Amino acid sequence: MAKNYNPYDNMLSVLENAAQRLDLQRKDYEMIKYPERELKVSIPVKMDDGEVQVFDGYRIQHSSSRGPCKGGIRYHPEVDNDEVKALAFAMTLKCAVVDLPYGGAKGAVKVDPAKLSKGELERLTRRFTAMILPIIGPEKDIPAPDVNTNAEVMGWIMDTYSMLKGYSVPGVVTGKSLEIGGSLGRPEATGRGVSITVSEALKYLKMGDAPQKIAVQGMGNVGSNTAKLLSQMGHKIVAVSDATGGFYKESGLNIEAILVYQREHNGTMEGYREDGAARITNEELLTCACDVLTPCAMENQLTEKVAPNVKARLIVEGANGPTTVEADKIFLQRNIPVIPDILANSGGVVVSYFEWVQNIQNLTWDEEQVNNMLSKIMVRSFNQVVDIAQEKQAPFRIAAYMLAVSKLVKAKKIRGVFP
Ligand SMILES: NC(=O)c1ccc[n+]([C@@H]2O[C@H](COP(=O)([O-])OP(=O)(O)OC[C@H]3O[C@@H](n4cnc5c(N)ncnc54)[C@H](O)[C@@H]3O)[C@@H](O)[C@H]2O)c1
């Protein structure tokens, strides 16, 4: 990941654009540019060899204007403060776009979890939880999984928080296992939301009823569920990739077989073989022959270098921040619509919200109910964004920001500036 690129500055420039189109005065949106609280911790971990290693950890709360802060925790060796700030800001906007009563936050630990034993990872997670404990909680800030964290990590966070409180607090995190208060439908929720968004965009853009050729970058939680659900809808998944590279097959890859292979090989596709499938790099995936491209891996993937060569007719962002501002301009000139992250990948936080609602009320909902409610929210939010895009002649990203920023500004105005 090129580090001369600052994801937070990227978002501030989109915010300025949206604020101007909304005719906002600077005093109305100035506060939105700054996170409310940034906590940096140094996490000591007893390693298996008896040594102690210290890892950097972050929890950044961007806004609590519309409700408690909400956002995932990422484990990644290249993560830094600006990246976490940008991701926290994106959560504030995302929760506003889909109208959840939440603000935004994000957390991260600078670590390559693949280099840690299970025991080391658990000790790291528990110590990190203890160190951010004063600022998290079901009424304050509710973490969830993100890159390289999962239901198991959420279980350790929930247990550590509960032990230190002295009673069980399932509502402190979402994305947990069902057995400890997780929600049916949560593991697939982000991918399901992306696939619903792809369907709605195909209808809206009148790209035809025929199955589309779709490329999915990243085969983790978001990408694998996106690929699975879109292929179940009858589309051809012509390309997929993970950090080790990807595959291309014009007639469509066997997604079920890839998912089975990943399950049996610790999540990786390395070593997978399929007749007619060519090995490709991640850059080749982004520029491969397809109708729809869904980047579902990391930020800063669609850059000004890659954008001129993209062949897709539609881009739907499963990952957070995969497209740079410069690339956005190129896609606009080339008439390639980009459905932005804060709308397209909001399915995860929507079902996280359902999980939290079930936890704090001691309820359990069935999967059909969860999926139907998710679908309703995704379709409603998509329509609201495209209405603004049409009315204001704005790209979808700017329209989504306009929807979110107008809600945030209203909330801030009603609450006023304390004291
Ligand atoms: N998990 C969620 O519910 C959720 C919700 C909203 C947004 N997101 C965003 O979606 C993205 C993916 O998150 P995830 O939870 O699926 O993470 P994950 O850790 O489950 O999967 C990430 C995938 O990306 C691959 N990858 C990493 N670097 C890559 C590269 N340079 N090129 C291609 N593939 C690469 C990894 O091998 C893995 O397959 C992130 O941007 C995350 O912030 C996740």
Side-chain angles (χ1 to χ4, degrees):
M1 203 186 310
K3 277 298 172 185
N4 52 3
Y5 148 86
N6 185 323
Y8 198 69
D9 290 345
N10 212 352
M11 295 182 71
L12 288 182
S13 80
V14 187
L15 171 68
E16 286 294 345
N17 190 334
Q20 276 167 26
R21 288 178 190 250
L22 285 166
D23 277 333
L24 294 179
Q25 292 179 0
R26 188 155 293 277
K27 69 173 165 54
D28 292 334
Y29 69 97
E30 187 63 15
M31 277 162 68
I32 299 175
K33 294 195 214 157
Y34 303 90
E36 279 175 21
R37 186 176 283 117
E38 297 182 47
L39 177 62
K40 156 94 200 311
V41 294
S42 302
I43 313 159
V45 179
K46 253 190 222 159
M47 306 305 280
D48 292 345
D49 63 5
E51 292 295 320
V52 171
Q53 261 189 49
V54 181
F55 299 89
D56 288 343
Y58 307 88
R59 186 73 189 171
I60 298 187
Q61 297 171 339
H62 176 264
S63 170
S64 59
S65 292
R66 301 182 67 256
C69 298
K70 183 87 188 84
I73 290 179
R74 168 176 295 198
Y75 287 173
H76 198 277
E78 284 165 34
V79 78
D80 62 23
N81 198 65
D82 281 330
E83 183 177 323
V84 185
K85 244 164 86 176
L87 291 163
F89 186 10
M91 286 307 299
T92 300
L93 297 170
K94 202 178 296 186
C95 292
V97 166
V98 287
D99 216 15
L100 303 179
Y102 280 146
K106 204 80 178 190
V109 178
K110 194 174 174 71
V111 61
D112 181 354
K115 294 197 175 134
L116 265 52
S117 70
K118 186 84 167 276
E120 289 166 342
L121 197 64
E122 179 174 349
R123 291 194 291 281
L124 169 88
T125 303
R126 288 185 181 278
R127 179 64 189 239
F128 177 53
T129 307
M131 295 179 88
I132 63 169
L133 184 129
I135 65 165
I136 63 169
E139 321 80 15
K140 292 186 203 172
D141 179 0
I142 307 115
D146 191 69
V147 175
N148 291 327
T149 58
N150 54 21
E152 188 174 39
V153 173
M154 295 307 113
W156 294 329
I157 297 177
M158 183 262 198
D159 185 67
T160 306
Y161 186 91
S162 300
M163 286 300 109
L164 294 171
K165 286 284 169 187
Y167 52 93
S168 226
V169 191
V172 66
V173 282
T174 57
K176 305 176 290 293
S177 299
L178 277 183
E179 294 78 2
I180 56 169
S183 176
L184 287 164
R186 175 61 184 92
E188 306 82 21
T190 310
R192 186 175 295 279
V194 175
S195 62
I196 294 168
T197 306
V198 169
S199 302
E200 291 304 303
L202 290 172
K203 268 191 268 169
Y204 176 77
L205 297 164
K206 299 192 173 50
M207 284 175 65
D209 295 331
Q212 304 285 320
K213 290 182 185 169
I214 296 179
V216 180
Q217 186 201 33
M219 278 291 276
N221 173 284
V222 181
S224 63
N225 285 301
T226 298
K228 182 178 82 179
L229 292 161
L230 286 170
S231 85
Q232 283 172 1
M233 287 174 185
H235 298 294
K236 273 190 219 167
I237 311 301
V238 292
V240 295
S241 68
D242 65 13
T244 66
F247 296 94
Y248 183 86
K249 186 174 173 183
E250 207 198 337
S251 57
L253 290 157
N254 184 342
I255 296 302
E256 274 308 317
I258 293 174
L259 296 177
V260 169
Y261 186 90
Q262 281 189 305
R263 270 196 295 277
E264 289 168 356
H265 295 82
N266 210 13
T268 177
M269 297 194 307
E270 188 150 39
Y272 176 78
R273 293 288 172 269
E274 181 178 325
D275 282 348
R279 200 81 173 108
I280 54 169
T281 64
N282 264 298
E283 181 153 346
E284 285 165 342
L285 180 136
L286 297 173
T287 56
C288 75
C290 64
D291 301 305
V292 185
L293 172 62
T294 58
C296 298
M298 301 295 290
E299 54 276 353
N300 196 23
Q301 297 298 302
L302 294 167
T303 59
E304 60 191 318
K305 187 171 149 241
V306 175
N309 305 319
V310 166
K311 296 185 190 66
R313 296 185 291 148
L314 166 67
I315 296 168
V316 178
E317 295 182 334
N320 285 312
T323 311
T324 64
V325 170
E326 294 74 26
D328 252 345
K329 287 182 193 148
I330 297 169
F331 292 134
L332 192 63
Q333 280 159 12
R334 295 188 58 209
N335 221 359
I336 301 173
V338 180
I339 310 295
D341 46 8
I342 58 170
L343 170 65
N345 72 27
S346 59
V349 73
V350 171
V351 178
S352 272
Y353 165 65
F354 296 160
E355 179 175 333
W356 175 78
V357 169
Q358 292 171 77
N359 291 157
I360 59 180
Q361 297 188 82
N362 297 317
L363 295 172
T364 48
W365 300 346
D366 64 38
E367 193 162 359
E368 201 187 346
Q369 186 180 0
V370 168
N371 290 346
N372 286 343
M373 284 165 47
L374 168 64
S375 177
K376 218 168 144 180
I377 291 180
M378 294 305 304
V379 173
R380 179 192 69 200
S381 308
F382 180 86
N383 288 331
Q384 287 173 344
V385 170
V386 299
D387 284 351
I388 296 174
Q390 229 169 19
E391 192 190 319
K392 304 282 181 191
Q393 291 296 299
F396 295 116
R397 188 183 314 282
I398 306 290
Y401 268 63
M402 288 169 76
L403 179 62
V405 170
S406 57
K407 287 186 194 174
L408 261 173
V409 166
K410 273 185 205 148
K412 282 191 179 291
K413 261 197 179 155
I414 293 167
R415 290 184 59 161
V417 180
F418 177 84

